[in-house]
């Protein structure tokens, strides 16, 4: 009978899995050299990795040197699946990925987050079902869900979201954990978008990255040294409710006045330009209003592209106000890369042009000197990409792997995994 691995064996196996996964060492001689372990120990741990379904042997490497080439080892990224969902106020993106965080299939549909957790999360589960049916059957190793509101990442619960009625205290983690028998990570959607863009976006600069999402609402997230900055209680990045004007007519959905979102958010632009259309100052949007009874963000983008002066003026103002507010964050956090994402990218180039100009105008010279300002390169999949990478990083972190390697499965160790990360 094979004895169960000791605690030290598991720690060594976790180290080896990480070295193989990251490509630092992929042959036995390389693993022996990097770890300082003997051949027998390395062979034993690799055999355990194969038995657990984590490792696989691959064809010998052609080294060009004399003698027998060393066989390489790889992480079996096909051994399991990761489900990820990124929810906006009116959008839902869902994806299934392998254990390298590479997307295998993607789905999108429109939602209204105000419909409440039961209805919205049921749609997430339905899309997850479609995705799992579209790929070869394998176990789900982890789930990530990004939400457009404040999240206590330690518990996976939504905390007092100002624009999500019925969501306060919603236990998203437990729902998906029970449904998929796997560890679940719940975070703010913009955090996931920032992580995805930092890790997989192009160009891959690997500098501190500030991601700003402008869609129905406005939010931001900061990645420093490859790690998300969530703040003391997880509320970092909520710039949509920073006060930017004393105008009493700028009433926000949160109940306060003067918030950035009330001036430059997608819903605020719709509100403002609906009034312009009704007053006859926006011919293009007046026609949309007469035809459909409402104005959408896509309508505003089309009107801007068509040269509608009211639409262009409103979009330009929103870009300037947002850029000016973000310039203050640039001065404080000094990111190397600033990425603009969200539905605003579908409104045409004007918002970004005004946003970029205002950022550089408002940033101090030292903060702006090497700053790269660009649009998201992964749009619209940066959130699902970031969610998959969040799960993979959590599962394969050397300090965490022993929790599930010893148990033999991430499912078996799900509660401990979530508590540790």
């Amino acid at each position: 009978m094979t004895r169960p691995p000791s605690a030290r064996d598991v720690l060594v196996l976790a180290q080896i899995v990480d070295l193989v996964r990251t490509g630092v060492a992929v042959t036995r001689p390389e693993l022996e050299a990097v770890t300082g372990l003997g051949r027998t120990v390395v062979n034993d741990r690799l055999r355990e990795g194969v038995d657990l379904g984590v490792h696989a042997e691959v064809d010998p490497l052609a080294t060009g040197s004399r003698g027998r080439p060393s066989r390489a080892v790889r992480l079996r990224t096909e051994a399991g699946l990761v489900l990820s969902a990124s929810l906006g106020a009116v959008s839902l993106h869902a994806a299934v990925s392998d254990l390298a965080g590479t997307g295998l299939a993607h789905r999108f549909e429109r939602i209204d987050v105000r419909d409440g957790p039961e209805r919205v999360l049921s749609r997430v589960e339905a899309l997850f079902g479609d995705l799992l049916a579209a790929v070869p059957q394998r176990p789900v190793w982890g789930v990530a869900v990004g939400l457009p509101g404040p999240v206590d990442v330690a518990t996976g619960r939504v905390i007092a979201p100002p624009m999500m009625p019925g969501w306060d205290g919603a236990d998203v983690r437990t729902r998906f954990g029970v449904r998929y028998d796997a560890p679940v990570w719940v975070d703010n959607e913009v955090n996931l978008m920032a992580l995805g863009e930092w890790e997989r976006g192009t160009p891959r600069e690997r500098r501190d990255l500030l991601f700003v999402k402008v869609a129905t609402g406005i939010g931001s997230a900061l990645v420093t040294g490859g790690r998300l900055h969530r703040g003391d209680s997880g509320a970092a990045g909520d710039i949509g409710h920073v006060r930017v004007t004393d105008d009493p007519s700028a009433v926000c959905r949160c109940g306060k006045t003067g918030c950035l979102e009330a001036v430059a958010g997608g819903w605020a632009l719709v509100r403002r330009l609906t009034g312009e259309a009704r007053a006859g100052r926006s011919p293009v949007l007046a026609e949309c209003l007469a035809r459909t009874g409402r104005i959408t963000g896509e309508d505003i983008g089309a009107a801007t592209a068509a040269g509608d002066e009211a639409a262009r003026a409103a979009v330009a103002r929103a870009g300037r106000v947002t850029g000016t507010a973000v310039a203050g964050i640039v001065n404080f956090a000094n990111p190397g890369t600033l990425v603009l994402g969200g539905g605003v990218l579908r409104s045409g180039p004007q918002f970004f042009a005004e946003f970029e100009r205002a950022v550089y105008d408002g940033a101090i010279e030292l903060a702006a000197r090497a700053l790269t300002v660009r649009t998201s390169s992964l749009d619209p999949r940066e959130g699902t990409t970031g969610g998959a990478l969040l799960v993979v990083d959590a599962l394969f972190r050397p300090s965490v792997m022993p929790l599930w390697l010893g148990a033999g499965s991430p499912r078996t160790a799900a509660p401990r995994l979530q508590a540790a990360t």
Side-chain angles (χ1 to χ4, degrees), residues 52-55 74-83 96-104 132 135-143 182 388 391-392 395-396 404 409-411:
L52 286 168
V54 177
H55 286 146
R74 67 174 180 86
L75 180 73
R76 293 188 66 244
T77 58
E78 73 278 12
L81 299 171
V82 174
L83 294 169
V96 60
S97 307
D98 65 16
L99 297 182
T102 301
L104 303 175
L132 290 173
V135 299
Q137 188 173 3
R138 282 166 274 172
V140 174
W141 279 35
V143 181
V391 171
V392 170
L395 288 175
F396 290 106
W404 65 266
S409 167
R411 298 181 178 209

Side-chain angles (χ1 to χ4, degrees), residues 169-216:
D171 188 356
V172 180
R173 173 181 291 169
T174 297
R175 177 184 180 122
F176 286 97
V178 170
R179 176 69 176 79
Y180 297 101
D181 189 25
V184 179
W185 286 266
V186 186
D187 211 324
N188 179 271
E189 58 146 350
V190 188
N191 282 345
L192 300 187
M193 297 171 84
L195 186 61
E197 193 65 37
W198 187 85
E199 182 64 41
R200 295 287 169 87
T202 55
R204 196 178 184 192
E205 297 177 297
R206 311 300 282 180
R207 299 191 293 166
D208 287 0
L209 182 145
L210 175 64
F211 190 99
V212 176
K213 179 190 177 184
V214 180
T216 302

Side-chain angles (χ1 to χ4, degrees), residues 37-395:
L37 299 170
R39 180 179 301 178
T40 300
V41 175
V42 169
N43 284 336
D44 287 346
R45 299 296 81 77
L46 286 176
R47 186 162 46 251
E48 288 170 359
V50 171
D51 291 342
L52 286 168
V54 177
H55 286 146
E57 300 271 5
V58 297
D59 292 335
L61 297 176
T63 61
S65 60
R66 294 184 178 181
R68 185 177 179 182
S70 299
R71 296 197 72 188
V73 183
R74 67 174 180 86
L75 180 73
R76 293 188 66 244
T77 58
E78 73 278 12
L81 299 171
V82 174
L83 294 169
S84 57
S86 179
L87 286 72
V90 296
S91 63
L92 164 58
H93 291 271
V96 60
S97 307
D98 65 16
L99 297 182
T102 301
L104 303 175
H106 176 268
R107 296 288 186 273
F108 165 78
E109 71 174 46
R110 294 192 176 280
I111 59 167
D112 188 339
V113 76
R114 295 173 299 179
D115 288 339
E118 180 56 40
R119 185 170 179 179
V120 172
L121 296 180
S122 292
R123 291 309 308 155
V124 176
E125 290 172 341
L127 290 191
F128 280 169
D130 292 343
L131 290 164
L132 290 173
V135 299
Q137 188 173 3
R138 282 166 274 172
V140 174
W141 279 35
V143 181
V145 180
L147 298 170
V151 173
D152 182 349
V153 295
T155 64
R157 292 180 180 269
V158 185
I159 305 296
M163 275 75 68
M164 297 170 64
W167 285 83
D168 187 26
D171 188 356
V172 180
R173 173 181 291 169
T174 297
R175 177 184 180 122
F176 286 97
V178 170
R179 176 69 176 79
Y180 297 101
D181 189 25
V184 179
W185 286 266
V186 186
D187 211 324
N188 179 271
E189 58 146 350
V190 188
N191 282 345
L192 300 187
M193 297 171 84
L195 186 61
E197 193 65 37
W198 187 85
E199 182 64 41
R200 295 287 169 87
T202 55
R204 196 178 184 192
E205 297 177 297
R206 311 300 282 180
R207 299 191 293 166
D208 287 0
L209 182 145
L210 175 64
F211 190 99
V212 176
K213 179 190 177 184
V214 180
T216 302
I218 299 176
S220 70
L222 180 66
V223 180
T224 59
R227 307 289 290 179
L228 282 166
H229 174 74
R230 294 189 176 92
D232 183 66
S233 58
D238 194 359
I239 64 171
H241 303 287
V242 171
R243 188 178 179 89
V244 297
T245 180
D246 293 325
D247 182 357
S249 68
V251 180
C252 187
R253 296 180 298 173
C254 72
K256 299 179 181 180
T257 59
C259 296
L260 173 61
E261 197 173 287
V263 176
W267 67 268
L269 284 176
V270 167
R271 178 179 64 181
R272 177 184 181 88
L273 287 169
T274 297
E276 296 287 281
R278 286 174 175 160
R281 291 188 289 268
S282 174
V284 175
L285 293 176
E287 182 181 343
C288 290
L289 191 61
R291 185 175 65 253
T292 65
R294 65 190 184 100
I295 291 171
T296 67
E298 289 79 4
D299 294 332
I300 293 172
T304 302
D308 186 283
E309 288 302 322
R312 289 179 62 83
V315 170
R317 175 174 180 255
R320 287 194 301 272
V321 171
T322 306
T324 299
V326 170
I329 304 174
V330 168
N331 290 338
F332 175 77
N334 189 203
T337 304
L338 169 60
V339 179
L340 177 68
V344 72
L345 299 183
R346 263 82 69 195
S347 71
Q350 186 176 17
F351 186 101
F352 177 73
E354 296 289 346
F355 171 84
E356 181 182 34
R357 186 177 301 114
V359 168
Y360 282 121
D361 285 347
I364 62 173
E365 182 180 352
L366 184 58
R369 182 180 298 171
L371 178 67
T372 297
V373 184
R374 62 173 177 83
T375 57
S376 172
S377 65
L378 299 180
D379 177 71
R381 302 188 184 188
E382 59 270 73
T384 53
T385 300
L389 293 171
L390 180 70
V391 171
V392 170
D393 177 71
L395 288 175

